Amino acid sequence: MNALTLVFAALCIFAIGYRFYGLFFTQKVLGASEARLTPAVKMADGHDYVKTDKYVLFGHHFAAIAAAGPLLGPVLAAQFGYMPGALWILVGCVMAGCVHDTVVLFASVRHKGRSLAYIATQEIDKHTGRVAGVAVLFILVLTLAGLSIAVVNAMHDSAWGTFTVFATIPIALIMGVYLHKWRDGDVLGASLIGVGLLAVAILIGPHVAASPTWGPLFTMPRPAIALTLPIYGFVASVLPVWLLLCPRDYLSTYLKIGTIAMLAIGIFWVHPDLQMPALTKFAHGGGPIIPGAVFPFLFITIACGALSGFHAIIGTGTTPKMLDNERNLLFVGFGAMLMEGFVAIMALIAACVLMPADYFAINTKPEVFATLGMTTVDLARLSQAVGENITGRPGGAVSLAVGMAHIFSSVPIMSHLMDYWYHFAIMFEAVFILTAVDTGTRVGRFFLQEMIGQVIPKFQEKHWMPGILSTSAIFTFMWGYLVYTGDISTIWPLFGMSNQLLAAVGLLIGTTMIIRMGKARYAWMTAVPGLAMVVITVWAGYLQIVNNYLPKGLYLLATLAVIVLVLIAIVIVGTLRRWMSLLAIKGTVPDTYGEPVLEVVPE
């Protein structure tokens, strides 16, 4: 099949999904209303609760949710062929991912921008909320450590990538000060400044790397990068959100969306064929990259591109504290997820335009590839063109960069620039992932403040700097230590399972809120994907433990997997109980805005 067909299908399905399904869900089901003041307006403090332009907030939210998942997951899932991944992204993104992201953002906005765990205590019960808090914190630490290791692997000993990524920090500070101090609200001016400076940084990146003076300064070894990332995460989590975090994420969005748009244009220009078959012989299991069968392992491999629990953490973290109006739930929540789904489609295409043997040679160790009985086709030429040895580089990042560079260099005027595009793609991946790390760290600080505040109320005060600094330091150390030691690299498969279970929890909590609002007839829109993911992901987790962890003696991973399953099971049982009690209520009562609900939850 031609790649252009897949791009066209994605654009059509996503546009229809946004215009009809998304609009119906936000207006009819959730009842988003301009009359209700959002927390960014009611609780404005200039630090965390900041009313933000919807385009800037879209950029921040998209940058925060779009991490490694939509880039690497589809690349790894290409092992099964292009069809399973494409179907899950196209259908799952609209019917599950967009609905999930929108409902959790809505729930947090209605609960003063509070966390998913707090929402669970209010909508379900306090015991379930506490368990949900522990589960979310556990998953968030694993997530940030795993994402950070991906950044370390992409940036270490790469002066070009490190310089460009570091340059986004002072550029973001300039944008933040300009937007909030020099020219308040001038989004266009800040955008022009930021994009212009970013373009300069990208263009001079190769020259900085080649400089005998500057090159060594930015050629940082793995341990140095592993120390620098937690320091950056700490700083981004304590500074006012408008100063560094939001403008940097907004700036990164231009690079992300711009690169994906260029890739789409390249596909339109080159219209390459997908070399990977629709289904490979590994669809039934036994693959060298993902050991399980396409069902159920596809659904925990492609996470963020179709559905992701990490989005619930962002959607109940920074974003609800900056949403200016409930009517923008569709644009920010639903729209950003659709954009991420399109990124996932682009990543799948970039992997599938490679010859299958070359794809497997890049994504498996040489001794494993030798057992597959395949002969590479273009691998030697590709290695020479990018100036790197790309054989035996598993993880998805290198094959994605090679695929992107292959498409870009197929445009006639860029045929000699494949090495440039390869290194640009590696840098692009690092920037893509890092924006989720800084936002995730800030959200982790919120979580710790809430949890410790239940014992020491002083920590609940949003402006108490000792609480902010101490919780930021503790949380940063938790994931930073794992990054520095590197132990988390072996737990990445566990993240895929726990991430999707968290997504299921977000959908089920959202379902609870929809039922309580007296709209049980629409509850299937969140309940069906939520319950489906519970069954699929628990099954995948069981197979991981029985067929992978225990036979290989990975008892720590098996124990962690069991802990995650038990924690999430407790939350799900509490949620189902709450459903039954709500559905037993016959009458309604008015909420503070006079709307009929089954039961009023205190604000």
Side-chain angles (χ1 to χ4, degrees), residues 84-117:
L87 289 176
W88 170 228
I89 294 168
L90 294 177
V91 177
C93 183
V94 176
M95 304 295 291
C98 290
V99 169
H100 167 273
D101 288 18
T102 306
V103 77
V104 296
L105 178 57
F106 168 79
S108 186
V109 167
R110 289 288 176 94
H111 284 278
K112 299 182 179 180
R114 303 293 287 273
S115 70
L116 188 66

Side-chain angles (χ1 to χ4, degrees), residues 353-365:
V353 296
L354 299 175
M355 298 301 293
D358 297 341
Y359 164 84
F360 283 105
I362 296 173
N363 283 290
T364 58
K365 295 180 179 179

Side-chain angles (χ1 to χ4, degrees), residues 27 31 38 251 261 304 398 433 458 568 589:
Q27 292 190 354
T38 63
L251 176 65
C304 298
V398 171
I433 298 168
K458 188 72 174 175
I568 298 298
V589 295

Side-chain angles (χ1 to χ4, degrees), residues 109-232:
V109 167
R110 289 288 176 94
H111 284 278
K112 299 182 179 180
R114 303 293 287 273
S115 70
L116 188 66
Y118 175 84
I119 296 169
T121 64
Q122 300 299 301
E123 294 289 345
I124 304 173
D125 59 68
K126 293 188 183 301
H127 173 68
T128 302
R130 293 190 190 99
V131 175
V134 174
V136 170
L137 190 65
F138 181 81
I139 293 169
L140 186 55
V141 169
L142 292 177
T143 302
L144 294 182
L147 294 177
S148 297
I149 282 181
V151 176
V152 171
N153 291 339
M155 288 176 57
H156 77 87
D157 299 308
S158 174
W160 181 11
T162 302
F163 166 76
T164 309
V165 172
F166 280 18
T168 61
I169 297 175
I171 294 174
L173 291 171
I174 293 171
M175 290 177 64
V177 173
Y178 177 90
L179 191 59
H180 289 271
K181 298 297 181 182
W182 297 340
R183 297 286 298 275
D184 187 25
D186 184 10
V187 177
L188 178 60
S191 301
L192 292 175
I193 292 173
V195 173
L197 292 175
L198 179 61
V200 171
I202 292 172
L203 289 174
I204 67 174
H207 302 288
V208 171
S211 168
T213 303
W214 295 101
L217 292 177
F218 290 99
T219 305
M220 301 175 66
R222 186 186 298 268
I225 295 289
L227 284 174
T228 303
L229 288 182
I231 294 173
Y232 166 72

Side-chain angles (χ1 to χ4, degrees), residues 37-44 48-52 57 60-61 101-116 119 311-326 329 332-333 439 443 446 450:
L37 297 180
T38 63
V41 178
K42 290 194 297 186
M43 305 169 62
D48 293 321
Y49 291 82
V50 179
K51 179 181 175 181
T52 305
L57 185 58
H60 160 75
H61 185 71
D101 288 18
T102 306
V103 77
V104 296
L105 178 57
F106 168 79
S108 186
V109 167
R110 289 288 176 94
H111 284 278
K112 299 182 179 180
R114 303 293 287 273
S115 70
L116 188 66
I119 296 169
H311 296 192
I313 296 173
I314 304 301
T316 59
T318 54
T319 305
K321 299 176 178 62
M322 295 187 283
L323 189 74
D324 63 342
N325 196 305
E326 281 194 3
L329 282 166
V332 176
T439 306
V443 174
F446 294 156
E450 279 189 10

